[in-house]
Amino acid sequence: PAPLRLWVTMPGSLGRWLRTARHLQPRQLAGQVRLRLRGPRAPRPASEGAPPLALRAPSVPFLPDPPYAWCDGARRFRLRHREVVFPDRIDWDYADAGPLWAFDLHGFDWARRPALAPGARRALLLDWIARHPDGVGWSPHPLSLRAVTWLRLLLTPGAFGADEGARQSILASLGAQLDHLASNLETHLLANHYLSNLLALTLAGVALEGPGAAGWLRHERLLRAELAEQVPADGLHVERSPMYHALLL
């Protein structure tokens, strides 16, 4: 039919946009429009005081650190089977290895290695806080992954040694990151990115205390709805990707 021929052959970016948009959910379209009108919100500095931990240790041990994320505790990183050695100090804006490598760098799974000395682990987190006030690490997806990792480390006895001042700095930064995440949910993408946002905020609401934590925990309702949508009765992730199945599990 003529309308279909027009749709398929529509020239330029308008046709491409329309052929893409027809697959998007209404809330996804609304998120795309909102992001383009508003743009991503800038990170805010840490507020005075840090949200206290509501827990002191997990009721069961966390799963071990993933083997694909490795750091020597200083300037050598091996992520996604690619090794990068920073000559002087870590370049948190490093982009030469691609965006997924950068996401893994800012996700901090490599910091969970038991072999890392508490002082080295502590110094790496504090360096990120001091030298990365904005940039790729503040994108919602790596921020979500990092928030979960930092919470795991904060709930692991001895992970940062006995430096209570450093723990408070990490908690204060984490609170600011979670506030930023709550204002930048990836509704324009949905899928696994949006799920990671809601998982991080809900976990933070359980693990931390205070007014901020109460606000983060309110995302639990959205998380339950998203899990019901993304994990149907067969138990597989709706995107049908073995990688996502493994990550979600």
Side-chain angles (χ1 to χ4, degrees), residues 139-195:
S139 299
H141 187 57
L143 194 164
S144 299
L145 303 179
R146 180 174 62 255
V148 172
T149 299
W150 285 20
L151 283 167
R152 285 173 172 172
L153 291 171
L154 287 162
L155 292 171
T156 300
F160 297 117
D163 190 332
E164 186 58 30
R167 287 177 62 86
Q168 291 302 306
S169 296
I170 292 166
L171 279 165
S173 173
L174 182 58
Q177 294 175 53
L178 290 162
D179 282 341
H180 179 72
L181 176 60
S183 299
N184 291 276
L185 296 176
E186 293 177 284
T187 54
H188 63 295
L189 296 176
L190 296 180
N192 64 303
H193 277 233
Y194 185 51
L195 188 63

Side-chain angles (χ1 to χ4, degrees), residues 25 27-28 190-191 194-195 222-234 236-240:
Q25 298 182 30
R27 57 179 175 154
Q28 216 173 345
L190 296 180
Y194 185 51
L195 188 63
L222 297 173
L223 173 61
R224 288 181 182 274
E226 200 62 28
L227 281 171
E229 180 175 323
Q230 294 200 31
V231 186
D234 62 9
L236 298 179
H237 190 264
V238 71
E239 294 195 47
R240 296 300 193 240

Side-chain angles (χ1 to χ4, degrees), residues 3 25-26 66 89 93 118 125 127 167 180 198 203 205 247:
Q25 298 182 30
R89 58 183 185 176
D93 296 313
L125 268 70
D127 186 70
R167 287 177 62 86
H180 179 72
L198 298 178
L203 178 60
L247 286 171

